[in-house]
Amino acid sequence: GEDVEQSLFLSVREGDSSVINCTYTDSSSTYLYWYKQEPGAGLQLLTYIFSNMDMKQDQRLTVLLNKKDKHLSLRIADTQTGDSAIYFCAEISTVRGFKTIFGAGTRLFVKA
Amino acid sequence: NAGVTQTPKFQVLKTGQSMTLQCAQDMNHNSMYWYRQDPGMGLRLIYYSASEGTTDKGEVPNGYNVSRLNKREFSLRLESAAPSQTSVYFCASSEQSVTDNYGYTFGSGTRLTVV
């Protein structure tokens, strides 16, 4: 099937950069997203990237898209304790009738 | 505050009971969605409504029904709750169409336990 896969956990020290990776299988995806979920809350859209872009930067966030390898990454510069959360990668799957498909989420731990 | 409002926040049901989860958005979005979130499984789409007056099944619709009451409100009904429906339910909305989607706005979720 068409899946979005992420590693489950990532631990970094405060001040370091975090890189969260995601792979997807639908080569005709049009939009790819990163969402953040804090404990007890809903998902919050962080950023999205069109499939015809390679990179998007927004303050401390950098998204890289490698369409050949179907790989998406989110880099958080100068990671803070407030960045501790679950990060979800998602894509619009044309194979699944333009449904948004979510990965299982990567839990980011930031150590002070 | 503008956004997506879900009620209730928590609910415990006995097997076989029914209930309706309510969702309302005040952003004038066309599309609305219901997802469930289970540990290690990401979010799975239950039902969606691309526009007022239309509803469609998602990935896991069995055991659920929905109503798009008007442009603002989209409710999810469990007719006969089962323990497998224990989950966190999220409502979401988006401004654009289903094919051109700049991302969702999510509610804060309803934590449902079926015993």
Side-chain angles (χ1 to χ4, degrees):
Chain A
E2 303 298 327
D3 290 327
V4 176
E5 295 188 352
Q6 307 176 236
S7 54
L8 293 182
F9 300 100
L10 176 66
S11 180
V12 300
R13 292 192 180 277
E14 190 175 21
D16 288 349
S17 292
S18 308
V19 179
I20 303 171
N21 295 301
C22 169
T23 58
Y24 60 97
T25 55
D26 183 356
S27 59
S28 57
S29 293
T30 51
Y31 294 80
L32 297 112
Y33 312 87
W34 284 105
Y35 287 86
K36 176 183 181 182
Q37 185 181 33
E38 298 182 357
L43 279 70
Q44 174 193 359
L45 178 67
L46 286 178
T47 187
Y48 66 90
I49 188 168
F50 296 110
S51 59
N52 61 359
M53 296 170 65
D54 297 325
M55 185 183 83
K56 182 178 182 181
Q57 189 155 0
D58 184 2
Q59 299 182 329
R60 291 190 299 123
L61 304 179
T62 302
V63 177
L64 295 178
L65 175 60
N66 181 329
K67 287 195 70 177
K68 175 177 172 291
D69 295 336
K70 299 177 196 165
H71 183 267
L72 184 72
S73 67
L74 174 69
R75 178 177 180 271
I76 306 173
D78 187 23
T79 311
Q80 303 297 306
T81 54
D83 295 323
S84 293
I86 302 175
Y87 291 81
F88 290 89
C89 171
E91 61 161 352
I92 284 191
S93 171
T94 57
V95 172
R96 287 186 176 177
F98 297 96
K99 306 293 192 299
T100 299
I101 307 299
F102 289 85
T106 299
R107 187 178 293 271
L108 175 65
F109 296 95
V110 182
K111 297 177 285 187
Chain B
N1 290 337
V4 177
T5 302
Q6 291 183 235
T7 56
K9 292 190 182 304
F10 301 93
Q11 184 71 49
V12 179
L13 290 178
K14 294 183 178 179
T15 297
Q17 287 186 315
S18 62
M19 80 162 295
T20 299
L21 281 64
Q22 306 287 351
C23 176
Q25 52 93 7
D26 58 7
M27 296 169 289
N28 202 37
H29 285 173
N30 289 316
S31 301
M32 298 185 73
Y33 311 81
W34 276 105
Y35 283 89
R36 59 178 289 173
Q37 183 180 29
D38 301 292
M41 298 189 72
L43 277 78
R44 292 182 292 170
L45 182 64
I46 304 171
Y47 270 94
Y48 69 100
S49 171
S51 61
E52 186 179 356
T54 69
T55 61
D56 285 287
K57 294 179 180 179
E59 193 180 349
V60 288
N62 291 344
Y64 305 95
N65 284 301
V66 290
S67 296
R68 183 76 182 265
L69 304 170
N70 47 55
K71 192 171 186 178
R72 290 187 64 246
E73 298 173 288
F74 188 39
S75 62
L76 178 72
R77 183 160 178 84
L78 287 71
E79 290 292 352
S80 179
S84 61
Q85 293 177 305
T86 293
S87 189
V88 181
Y89 291 85
F90 288 102
C91 178
S93 69
S94 66
E95 180 177 356
Q96 285 80 19
S97 69
V98 172
T99 56
D100 254 333
N101 191 325
Y102 299 158
Y104 296 158
T105 301
F106 280 87
S108 57
T110 296
R111 282 144 187 84
L112 175 67
T113 302
V114 183
V115 298

